Structures are given as structure tokens and as C-alpha cells.
Amino acid sequence: MTARALVLTIVYCLPTTLFAQQVPDTAFRPLLQRPAYAVGTGPVILIDEGHSNLKTSTGGYFPFAELLRRDGYIVRGSPGFVTAETIRGASVLVSASAREPFNDAEVSLLQDWVKAGGAILLIVDHPPGSRADAFGTPLRNVIEAARNLADAFGIRLRNAAARDPRRTPSGRLVFRRSDGTLVNHAITRGIDSVATFGGSSFQLEVPGEPLLVFGPGVYAYPQRNEPNPLPLQGNFQGAVLQFGKGRVAAFAEAAMFSAQLSGPSRSPMGMNAPIAGQNAAFLLNLLHWLVGPL
């Protein structure tokens, strides 16, 4: 199978104690009226598990993987470095929460792969809230780990949390078609709103098409309790672009594409949250766009 799409998902590292409170919602099974492919006959989706990933097909992105399998995709884990052999026959490579950077050879390979007909989805989240976890172990910033790959595709990541101080500390945001923060596109067809759960922001240094655009009241906080946050209105939390014959989609939040149970009360966080009722459909539209025209 000819490579069609590269999905790179990169998520900021949170303190260990917070991750311990979030577990995948393995019972999450949204209704699929018309799967894109018969089960096990769709394009191959590789989930990167070779860069000290926090999100894997059997861990935090289990609901992501299962949703795609139900839509007919073939989903596999991809341990080790990215090589021509590992991506041969694949349509999509998903790298979620990579805490180790892609090396120069991998970046060059992936650029060529996308130019030949693939695409990138780069998803970034917020930076760690502290320099070390409760045990003194340094926390690795996945945005810094992703920067060389993002730069290769004209995506300028902002190493700062995005937050609307008027809202609860949960950081949840809803992008709506009605106010223009959810932009009209083939990927947003049939979608009225998309919820995110914190995250960060980015800008494009190449021509692209925005999908999720911050409205007024959202700010970037490079440090915790930053007294002079930067306004983010007009910056992106989701966008797509063409790269050679391939496609790139970038998002600045990761929980939106998973389904988690958070904290002692096991509150839904992600596609399973009440405010995120259309996130699963949005994700499927995104994958359909990456592997071919809708």
C-alpha cells in the first residue's frame, strides 16, 4: 500500500501523579452508523511507541486505536525508530506523547515520505507544570522533543499552556461553528462543536487552513501563574496544510482524541466527556481526510 498519511501526535508531559489519576475508558464505544471500511480492510495506521511515548495503542490511546479499528482501519504499534521498513505499506503514523525527539535521519525520512503522498497530524499539549515530579525525576517537555520535526513542516510550536482564565481550572474549551472558532472545512463537515481539555497553541510559517482558532479571552502562560500572559486570539489549536503531495494536520491538545476516566470520581475526560459529543466524529473525519479525499 502506498503511504498516504503521517499522523504525529505529541503531548506535553504532566506530572506523574496526574497521569496516575487518568486511565483509558475501555468501555467507550460511540455509535458508528456507517464505518468507512469493512473491519480489518482499511488503511494501516501505525502508532509510534519507540520514542518514550506516554500515549500508546494499549495505554492512553487505547480508545483512539479501538475507534479507528471499528471504522475499519488496521491499527498496529510501531516500536523502535522510524525507518523506511517500518512505514512501508502504512498510510498513517501516529506518534502520541513522544518524550524523545525524532533524530535527523527520521525527520528527513518523514519529510520525504509526506512529500511523496503522506501527511502529518502534529498534536501538542501543555508543558509540564513543574521541572520534576513528586519523586524529583526531571519531567521531559514533549514540545521540545517535537520541535525539530514540527519545524521541518513549518509548524511553530509555542511552549506555553493555553488557558481561558474566565473558565474553571480544568482548562476545557469548546470551539464552535456558531462563533467562528470552529472553521468550515471538509474535516468539520457535520460538526458543530469540538471540545479540548487544555493544551497549547501554534502558528504556521507556511500556507495552511485553520480548523480550531482561539477566540478572545484565551492566553498563553509560559510559566505557572504567569503575571503577563500572551493573548492567543487568532492562534491555532488545530490546522491542516499541504506538503508536497502529502497532508499535514496539527493539533495542540491530546485528550480530545482519547477517552479517559480522571481522578477518584472517574470523571470522563476526552471523547467520552458530555461536552465532547462530536469529538469522535471529528477524529474520524480527520483520518478520512488524511488517507484520502472526503
Side-chain angles (χ1 to χ4, degrees), residues 55 63 68 76 90 93-94 104-105 109-112 123 125 134 138 142 144 159 184 189 194 292:
K55 303 291 187 183
L68 296 191
R76 300 170 181 163
L93 174 67
V94 181
D104 291 345
L109 172 67
L110 293 176
Q111 278 187 303
D112 291 342
I123 304 174
D125 217 298
V142 299
E144 294 302 330
N159 189 7
N184 186 49
R189 184 180 300 151
V194 172

Side-chain angles (χ1 to χ4, degrees), residues 143-214:
I143 264 298
E144 294 302 330
R147 194 173 298 281
N148 62 337
L149 185 56
D151 288 348
F153 293 97
I155 300 164
R156 181 156 59 88
L157 308 178
R158 186 184 298 277
N159 189 7
R163 183 161 59 87
D164 184 342
R166 301 168 298 179
R167 301 183 181 273
T168 64
S170 68
R172 300 183 180 196
L173 297 170
V174 179
F175 295 82
R176 295 182 172 89
R177 184 182 298 276
S178 61
D179 64 13
T181 56
L182 178 67
V183 181
N184 186 49
H185 189 275
I187 294 169
T188 63
R189 184 180 300 151
I191 308 296
D192 296 316
S193 67
V194 172
T196 65
F197 300 82
S200 59
S201 65
F202 64 91
Q203 294 177 315
L204 296 178
E205 297 180 334
V206 294
E209 300 171 283
L211 297 176
L212 306 181
V213 181
F214 286 116

Side-chain angles (χ1 to χ4, degrees), residues 15-164:
T16 302
T17 53
L18 290 182
F19 278 110
Q21 296 176 9
Q22 296 175 4
V23 296
D25 183 355
T26 57
F28 176 71
R29 292 180 64 82
L31 177 66
L32 296 183
Q33 294 183 344
R34 292 192 300 271
Y37 308 93
V39 174
T41 65
V44 174
I45 311 296
L46 296 181
I47 297 183
D48 172 34
E49 298 174 358
H51 294 85
S52 189
N53 302 76
L54 287 167
K55 303 291 187 183
T56 65
S57 61
T58 57
Y61 260 29
F62 176 84
F64 174 100
E66 285 301 294
L67 178 61
L68 296 191
R69 289 189 178 106
R70 293 179 60 220
D71 206 36
Y73 294 96
I74 299 168
V75 182
R76 300 170 181 163
S78 179
F81 294 119
V82 176
T83 66
E85 181 62 29
T86 61
I87 60 175
R88 183 173 294 121
S91 294
V92 179
L93 174 67
V94 181
S95 182
S97 299
R99 293 177 291 172
E100 299 293 342
F102 287 76
N103 62 41
D104 291 345
E106 291 177 296
V107 171
S108 178
L109 172 67
L110 293 176
Q111 278 187 303
D112 291 342
W113 190 59
V114 174
K115 283 179 181 177
I120 284 188
L121 167 60
L122 170 63
I123 304 174
V124 298
D125 217 298
H126 54 77
S130 62
R131 295 180 181 274
D133 65 16
F135 305 99
T137 303
L139 293 171
R140 287 172 286 182
N141 187 327
V142 299
I143 264 298
E144 294 302 330
R147 194 173 298 281
N148 62 337
L149 185 56
D151 288 348
F153 293 97
I155 300 164
R156 181 156 59 88
L157 308 178
R158 186 184 298 277
N159 189 7
R163 183 161 59 87
D164 184 342

Side-chain angles (χ1 to χ4, degrees), residues 233-262:
Q233 184 172 2
N235 283 247
F236 304 147
Q237 200 162 44
V240 295
L241 58 94
Q242 298 288 329
F243 189 85
K245 295 180 180 179
R247 297 177 171 183
V248 178
F251 287 83
E253 205 277 317
M256 64 181 292
F257 292 137
S258 186
Q260 303 171 106
L261 300 172
S262 179

